[in-house]
Amino acid sequence: QVRLVESGGGVVQPGGSLRLSCAASGRAFKNFAAAWFRQAPGEEREFVATISRGGGNTDYGDSVEGRFTISRDNNMNTVSLQLNSLKPEDTAVYYCAARRAILTAPLTTQPESYDYWGQGTQVTVSS
């Protein structure tokens, strides 16, 4: 079992930045691939970014590519998401997710592939 707790959300003006963090507790987090998803009101959950167990491989959704950066620190059991050049359409609840993965597992962008989820943190981009 892995428990995930997100933090770092808030209200920011367009063009601004935020850094989200996800703290993991429970089983050895280094054995889990991780990801960030987001969900706006009335919308389906959207893939944002994913990172492999060791942090060497990453993938991003088209709408955030070049603006967001995912990273992890397996010593601290954390996964972070740096959000730059924020736009009003980035407004959503952001969720951290994790799944147990072998070392060579390919990245996946499908939310149904992830077994563990945090409670979410709200990001609002507004002037």
Side-chain angles (χ1 to χ4, degrees), residues 46-66:
E46 178 189 7
F47 166 72
V48 175
T50 185
I51 189 165
S52 59
R53 279 178 39 169
N57 293 317
T58 58
D59 192 14
Y60 296 90
D62 291 342
S63 61
V64 307
E65 180 88 52

Side-chain angles (χ1 to χ4, degrees), residues 65-123:
E65 180 88 52
R67 299 188 298 122
F68 292 7
T69 303
I70 189 171
S71 60
R72 67 187 297 162
D73 184 338
N74 285 341
N75 291 323
M76 298 298 292
N77 286 351
T78 58
V79 177
S80 298
L81 185 69
Q82 178 68 38
L83 292 66
N84 295 331
S85 302
L86 282 161
K87 306 174 182 180
E89 51 263 43
D90 293 318
T91 295
V93 178
Y94 283 70
Y95 297 92
C96 178
R99 63 185 185 96
R100 182 177 292 276
I102 61 174
L103 198 58
T104 55
L107 300 174
T108 177
T109 65
Q110 302 303 311
E112 56 267 24
S113 298
Y114 292 84
D115 301 309
Y116 303 98
W117 292 82
Q119 83 290 348
T121 185
Q122 176 71 46
V123 171

Side-chain angles (χ1 to χ4, degrees), residues 8-64:
V11 180
V12 62
Q13 292 186 341
S17 297
L18 279 176
R19 186 174 182 85
L20 307 183
S21 292
C22 174
S25 60
R27 293 178 178 265
F29 192 57
K30 63 181 180 180
N31 295 328
F32 291 77
W36 288 91
F37 291 82
R38 67 187 182 185
Q39 189 165 19
E43 302 289 332
E44 293 188 354
R45 192 160 293 191
E46 178 189 7
F47 166 72
V48 175
T50 185
I51 189 165
S52 59
R53 279 178 39 169
N57 293 317
T58 58
D59 192 14
Y60 296 90
D62 291 342
S63 61
V64 307

